[in-house]
Amino acid sequence: MENLSWGGIFLTILRQFLPVWIALVVTFVLSIRLKRRLGLYGKLFDSIPGMIGLALVFFWIFTALFADLIVTHDPLAQIAGLKNKAPGTPAPGDRGWYLFGGDNLGRDVFSRVVMGARRVLSISPAATVFAFIVGCTLGLPAGYIGGRLDAALSFIANLVLAFPVILLFYLLVTPEIRDTGIPVVMAAVLFLFPVVFFTTLFNSRFHFQPFRRNLYVGVTLALGLWAWAGLAFNADPLGVFRMDPNLLNVFVSVVFVNAPTVFRIVRGLTMDIRARDYVAAAQTRGEGPWYIMLWEILPNARGPLIVDFCLRIGYTTILLGTLGFFGLGVSPESPDWGSTINDGRKLLTIAPHPAIVPALALMSLVLGLNMLADALREESLKD
Amino acid sequence: MLTFILRRVLTMILTALCLTFIVFYLTNLPPNLEKLAKSEGNARMGDAEVTGWLDKNGFSRPILLRYGEWLGIAPGFRRTDDTGLATGRCIARGTDPAAAPRFCGILQGHWGASTVFRQPVQQVIATSLSLTGLLMFWVMALMVPASLLIGVLAGMREGSRLDRALSTLSITTTATPEYVSGVILIVVFSSSLVGLKWFKGNATGAMEHATFENFFLPVLTIALYGIGYIARMTRASMAEVMTAQYIRTARLKGVRFRDVVLKHALRNALIAPFTVIMLQFPWLLNGVVIVETLFSYKGFGWTLVQAAGNNDIDLLLGCSVVAVLVVLLTQLISDVGYVFLNPRIRVS
């Protein structure tokens, strides 16, 4: 087979991404048709930057979902003859082309970037959700109750924030630290927060309706503690919830770095909203403090929190890339973008494609998230 | 004002103690000490020998006591072996044990010795800090004026075409972490593929003799990430000031637009960016570590990576002390400076 020209590469890539294009078109057509009924999400389709941001983010989400259909080669398979080969080099044995060339071990750069999207998008949103739950569970009482509790929690949050992130990663994400059990302890503490959060959430709302309360809290506790045992201690009897120890280490560290910032935002918002009339009304009604925090304050703080959520997924993606860039906590085989950039940067001046493709991928995803956050902020300010 | 500063300083000292203790604890975990014993003693030591080595060198005592020792508030470890020779933490090899000081920690200026560079930690950190200082100076010299200019230009007429263009530019740079922009810049400006070859993709030469050619890319890489962020803050601040009553009054009075921006708006719009710029320092530290690794510039960030990667406990502790102090000092300056710059807070 011939080497593909740049135009040929472009067309082949367009064809490979066909499932993504179909999904994107369907999503956009449906969303624009229904935009008046979709609330804040629908309003995003009124602004061009918002639509560009959504398109970029959806592109990567669909790429992660359909990664198996898009890849042209096994992302881990090495073909010795294709080491550092230029984009468009045909693979031996009539098996298509290496669309973005081969990396220093002869793996297909295109397939690795596509698979990397799946890896990145499965970790960073989840880590951000956890950081938000931890930040809300601690930030709400700190802002609402204040006093000593606030002082103590803020001190701890500032302590974590004063740590240079990279130093923290170098201390927390090492193979040695796994033997000491510190990640498991941190995971046990951090993963307990969602269980506590949802239990209080349902209990504070339904404690006058014992049947519903018992049902919701019971389901939360059963599911939550089951997942908790599986994820933190790898002790799930059924084997549904489990996490690779390396991944657990990375995940816990990223949540740990992000949670204090969320805490500060939630605390500030709570202090602001605490003085509103509807909070006073709820207090007069005799609602409990947790009901007020979780059902009166939190829903009214959602605007800035949604914006920060988008920004924070991007930031988490950058952090994960940083970890990969320093080769911390990921297996060398892993196709995630940070470690692929790290692998490629040694031969940057001779064969730049193994590093530049994941670099552009990461940049476009974070750019999409930032534009989305910007558009959300503007649209929510319009009301 | 004075009590405010005093309270801030006390909190800062407490924070610094907590942070250094955490770093001390994490660097002195049993697996790290075992590695240290094997690299300093003998790589083929068994478990019993490792324990013996750690006992002999005072590593097996309680962590708080050792932290006190390292800090210099607990007397240094001493031990007399079978031949009557006294060794210990504070006794340098080949000196008279009787003349050695009782305390030797970082408070007394004993930072220990680096096992990677075979030099005293102070010396390693001083050299690397001076190199990083040069880098930071140029980063600041590029980043601060550029970002303030972009922010003010974008914010003075909100919603204009110039604003849209500059805002897109800054949002793009904030979405590009250093390891991405560094890679792109190297490929564009120094690889044979694009063929521009204007700059060098490696800053090793800049350590002796920094020139525009070998130093511009690392400086630009760090600055880019910050530029977007500070510019966005400045823009928001500027846009808010431009809608204020006194600006409208000035405009209606017939003051020229240029004078309104330069004389009335600018000073008030720059308070928020000041805090942001100061709080960027911890972030820049991150950038410094990435960029120095990427461009092999042997400054502070590179040293930190070497220390962490090679289990060099004393050097890593020294680096953390410096890093933590930088972060806390900038927080203090930004707090105090914010109060000082903003009369509304200063008076109350």
Side-chain angles (χ1 to χ4, degrees), chain A residues 155 159 162-167 170-171 176 180 315 318 321-322 325-326 345 349 352 356 359 362-363 366-367 370 374, chain B residues 15 18-19 23 27 31 35 172 174-177 179-180 186-187 192-193 232 283 286 289 293-294 305 308 320 323 327:
Chain A
F155 181 74
L159 208 63
F163 244 115
V165 178
I166 289 194
L167 181 65
Y170 258 111
L171 292 173
E176 289 87 39
T180 63
Y315 177 67
I318 291 180
T322 314
F325 182 77
F326 286 107
R345 75 182 163 92
T349 39
I356 204 114
L362 194 143
M363 188 183 142
V366 181
L367 181 65
N370 282 8
D374 242 32
Chain B
T15 313
C18 288
L19 285 178
V23 179
T27 46
K35 267 208 303 201
T172 314
T174 42
T176 320
Y179 51 91
V180 169
I186 292 179
V187 170
S192 42
L193 187 85
R232 276 157 67 89
W283 252 115
N286 254 351
V289 178
T293 311
L294 188 59
V305 171
S320 341
V327 172

Side-chain angles (χ1 to χ4, degrees), chain A residues 17 57 59-76 100 103 107-125 247 313 316-318 320-321 324 330-341 343 354 357-366, chain B residues 179:
Chain A
F17 274 114
V57 173
F59 174 79
W60 286 114
I61 292 177
F62 291 135
T63 306
L65 282 177
F66 302 126
D68 294 318
L69 300 172
I70 300 169
V71 290
T72 50
H73 292 82
D74 176 5
L76 301 182
F100 282 137
D103 68 1
R107 295 171 295 194
D108 181 25
V109 173
F110 175 75
S111 304
R112 284 180 72 75
V113 168
V114 170
M115 272 300 171
R118 178 174 279 185
R119 205 178 151 78
V120 169
L121 281 172
S122 62
I123 304 178
S124 46
L247 188 63
I313 296 178
T316 313
T317 311
I318 291 180
L320 282 173
V330 283
S331 66
E333 292 272 85
S334 158
D336 77 288
W337 296 336
S339 25
T340 326
I341 296 174
D343 283 344
V357 179
L360 291 175
L362 194 143
M363 188 183 142
S364 62
L365 173 63
V366 181
Chain B
Y179 51 91

Side-chain angles (χ1 to χ4, degrees), chain A residues 15-35:
Chain A
R15 205 179 59 219
Q16 285 299 324
F17 274 114
L18 192 67
V20 175
W21 304 133
I22 295 173
L24 265 182
V25 169
V26 170
T27 320
F28 265 70
V29 168
L30 276 181
S31 305
I32 292 175
R33 280 273 172 79
L34 302 172
K35 74 177 175 186

Side-chain angles (χ1 to χ4, degrees), chain A residues 220-256:
Chain A
T220 312
L221 280 179
L223 267 180
L225 292 178
W226 177 23
W228 182 64
L231 294 176
F233 299 105
N234 207 357
D236 177 10
L238 302 177
V240 180
F241 293 105
R242 62 174 303 280
M243 228 172 171
D244 171 56
N246 257 328
L247 188 63
L248 181 77
N249 204 342
V250 170
F251 194 84
V252 167
S253 316
V254 172
V255 174
F256 187 67

Side-chain angles (χ1 to χ4, degrees), chain A residues 292-333:
Chain A
I292 297 177
M293 282 183 236
L294 291 169
W295 291 97
E296 299 279 352
I297 296 179
L298 193 58
N300 284 299
R302 68 181 185 281
L305 287 183
I306 292 174
V307 172
D308 187 69
F309 186 73
C310 285
L311 284 177
R312 200 148 294 280
I313 296 178
Y315 177 67
T316 313
T317 311
I318 291 180
L319 278 185
L320 282 173
T322 314
L323 278 173
F325 182 77
F326 286 107
L328 291 169
V330 283
S331 66
E333 292 272 85

Side-chain angles (χ1 to χ4, degrees), chain B residues 229-244:
Chain B
Y229 188 64
I230 301 177
R232 276 157 67 89
M233 291 294 155
T234 317
R235 176 188 173 273
S237 168
M238 187 74 187
E240 198 190 319
V241 168
M242 288 304 281
T243 58

